[in-house]
Amino acid sequence: MNRGWHFYQNPGPTNIPERVLRAMDRGNIDFTGAAFKAIAEECFAGLKRVFKTDRTILAYPATGHGAWEAALVNLFSPGDKVLVLESGFFSLNWGLRGAAFGLEVETLPNDWRTAIEPGKLEDWLRDDREHAIKAVLAVHCETSTGVVNDIAALRRAIDAARHPALFLVDTISSLASMDFRMDEWGVDVVVAGSQKGLMLPTGMAFTAASSRALAASAEAKLPRVYWDWRRLIEGSSQSFWNGTAPVHLFYGLQEALRMLEEEGLDQVFARHHRLAEATRRAVQAWRRNDGPEIFASDPRARSDSVTAVLMPEGHNADALRQLCLDRFNVSLGGGLDRLRGRVMRIGHLGDLNEPTILGAIAAVEMALELGGVPHGRGGVQAAMEYLVSDAVIG
Ligand code: PLP
């Protein structure tokens, strides 16, 4: 059934606002010329405000996987040891890519339902007396589980262990949806993508690098050409790109950054929190009668950009998602890896407001009823009550 508005509630890519679509609806310009340079400069200045950094930001036509790879090949040499903080599918995948490049990958194991405990990281690093670990790799918001890690606390743990490892953070599903502070939190490398909080089409990826990271990249021995930060920073005879610049994504980025600044970043984060909490209230209502539950078990570590919902035993999340799509034109994210069929993921990031999330929740609640999944009723009501409560309205 594809009548009416397509509710696209995946946790990325996200809805592209009309303003961004219209901004991209124009012809090409020379990416080596002054007009594009002015747009790019405005975009990089705006990105620095979103990353909360004064450091270097680099962009590539790529997805997040490309920015992951760029960070690895620019920072390390074959045999270097890195520590992956396990949070779910994405954290482990970043590590697998490191292993494919010949890095020695250690994994700090963690239950996928809770945030990484900073104390465990501190202990792990204290045990590394020789300082063999070159970098700690963490995911801010683990999109596969809806668990968010406390990046500032993890930084404090690295400092408490007096360990020199670089700190690399994936902000692919948190940037521009949840507060992130690269410089204040002492992050050396930030990996981000265009298609989530930045509300753009998929296809551009970003890396911000501290001066320590840039110094490490001068020593790194892994082969790199397309991803080489030095080529991007120094520029070639033509431009600061390793190829043709994605001009249309920059048209869109310029508009998206203007939208974020018009609303105000703090208001953007508050909106994401409000809509995430409304979603959580709905799931908590469904939880009665042994219904679905929020996968992230610790309320303090629940993401404001995505809620993973664990289905009751014997009920398939993909069947429920299909019902939502077929009957109500609502698209939700599926479970990844070991969570396939067990969780559905409701994305609440990017360009959305109260009616959007209420519509999506209503569709899920109807699908639970139609699909014969045990649940408590009144999820939509609970979300509405929260959205007009004193906690929200003041
Ligand atoms: N890291 C996280 C946390 C993600 O959510 C994703 C994609 O959803 C990725 C990495 C991979 O990014 P991409 O799909 O843009 O390559």
Side-chain angles (χ1 to χ4, degrees):
M1 204 270 290
N2 52 17
R3 275 183 291 108
W5 186 256
H6 179 51
F7 277 70
Y8 189 70
Q9 295 307 129
N10 290 50
T14 61
N15 291 298
I16 304 172
E18 279 296 314
R19 271 179 64 177
V20 171
L21 290 170
R22 296 291 76 84
M24 294 191 299
D25 188 6
R26 54 186 157 132
N28 257 321
I29 51 172
D30 179 0
F31 73 94
T32 64
F36 179 69
K37 188 163 178 276
I39 295 173
E41 278 173 3
E42 181 182 326
C43 289
F44 282 110
L47 282 175
K48 285 186 177 189
R49 291 190 288 275
V50 177
F51 282 70
K52 298 192 175 166
T53 189
D54 290 330
R55 313 294 181 210
T56 309
I57 299 186
L58 304 162
Y60 336 79
T63 71
H65 279 76
W68 267 353
E69 189 165 321
L72 297 171
V73 296
N74 276 284
L75 292 171
F76 306 117
S77 302
D80 276 355
K81 191 188 273 193
V82 298
L83 176 65
V84 167
L85 308 186
E86 177 177 5
S87 51
F89 173 77
F90 288 106
S91 59
L92 295 181
N93 259 279
W94 199 3
L96 285 175
R97 267 142 240 275
F101 280 110
L103 303 185
E104 190 184 329
V105 180
E106 275 186 1
T107 303
L108 191 155
N110 191 49
D111 158 15
W112 286 20
R113 300 189 70 171
T114 56
I116 297 145
E117 282 177 39
K120 283 191 188 161
L121 173 60
E122 184 181 334
D123 292 345
W124 195 286
L125 292 178
R126 275 188 198 284
D127 286 346
D128 178 35
R129 292 201 179 76
E130 309 295 319
H131 292 169
I133 295 171
K134 294 278 184 269
V136 173
L137 276 57
V139 176
H140 185 200
C141 171
E142 178 50 78
T143 326
S144 63
T145 63
V147 171
V148 62
N149 286 305
D150 185 341
I151 298 301
L154 293 171
R155 170 80 253 174
R156 286 194 295 275
I158 300 172
D159 292 343
R162 296 179 183 282
H163 199 289
L166 292 169
F167 191 26
L168 278 54
V169 179
D170 170 335
T171 64
I172 288 174
S173 64
S174 59
L175 193 83
S177 304
M178 284 181 275
D179 197 13
F180 178 80
R181 304 171 184 216
M182 175 176 180
D183 292 357
E184 192 183 318
W185 295 349
V187 178
D188 290 296
V189 173
V190 181
V191 171
S194 55
Q195 76 273 26
K196 301 199 194 229
L198 290 174
M199 309 176 287
L200 296 169
T202 310
M204 192 150 56
F206 308 98
T207 320
S210 71
S211 42
R212 280 188 73 219
L214 292 180
S217 79
E219 307 295 322
K221 303 268 182 310
L222 279 176
R224 57 200 136 139
V225 182
Y226 182 71
W227 303 118
D228 195 338
W229 292 347
R230 293 165 301 190
R231 291 163 66 99
L232 292 174
I233 292 167
E234 287 155 19
S236 68
S237 55
Q238 269 211 311
S239 76
F240 290 85
W241 292 86
N242 280 334
T244 305
V247 167
H248 283 76
L249 285 165
F250 270 91
Y251 291 156
L253 178 59
Q254 184 181 39
E255 194 64 21
L257 289 166
R258 286 177 183 173
M259 287 176 70
L260 290 171
E261 296 207 334
E262 280 166 25
E263 186 176 355
L265 268 187
D266 288 342
Q267 283 70 30
V268 170
F269 302 148
R271 174 168 55 81
H272 280 79
H273 177 73
R274 202 160 65 233
L275 302 178
E277 187 55 30
T279 308
R280 294 189 281 260
R281 299 286 172 116
V283 185
Q284 277 153 352
W286 300 333
R287 176 72 188 126
R288 291 193 302 270
N289 305 328
D290 297 321
E293 64 182 302
I294 300 174
F295 184 75
S297 55
D298 179 356
R300 292 165 307 175
R302 289 177 178 160
S303 164
D304 283 342
S305 54
V306 50
T307 298
V309 180
L310 181 64
M311 296 294 284
E313 208 55 52
H315 294 272
N316 190 292
D318 290 338
L320 192 87
R321 289 173 55 230
Q322 199 60 51
L323 208 49
C324 284
L325 188 62
D326 294 346
R327 297 293 292 257
F328 307 118
N329 203 8
V330 172
S331 174
L332 304 166
L336 297 169
D337 195 25
R338 69 177 78 153
L339 299 180
R340 188 165 299 281
R342 294 180 58 214
V343 308
M344 62 176 165
R345 294 176 302 143
I346 304 174
H348 31 73
L349 75 165
D351 187 39
L352 74 167
N353 60 13
E354 283 77 356
T356 330
I357 205 68
L358 289 170
I361 292 168
V364 176
E365 194 161 326
M366 290 187 285
L368 289 170
E369 189 74 33
L370 290 172
V373 180
H375 66 284
R377 291 196 171 138
V380 180
Q381 185 65 31
M384 288 195 299
E385 280 169 14
Y386 166 73
L387 289 170
V388 295
S389 68
D390 286 349
V392 171
I393 304 298

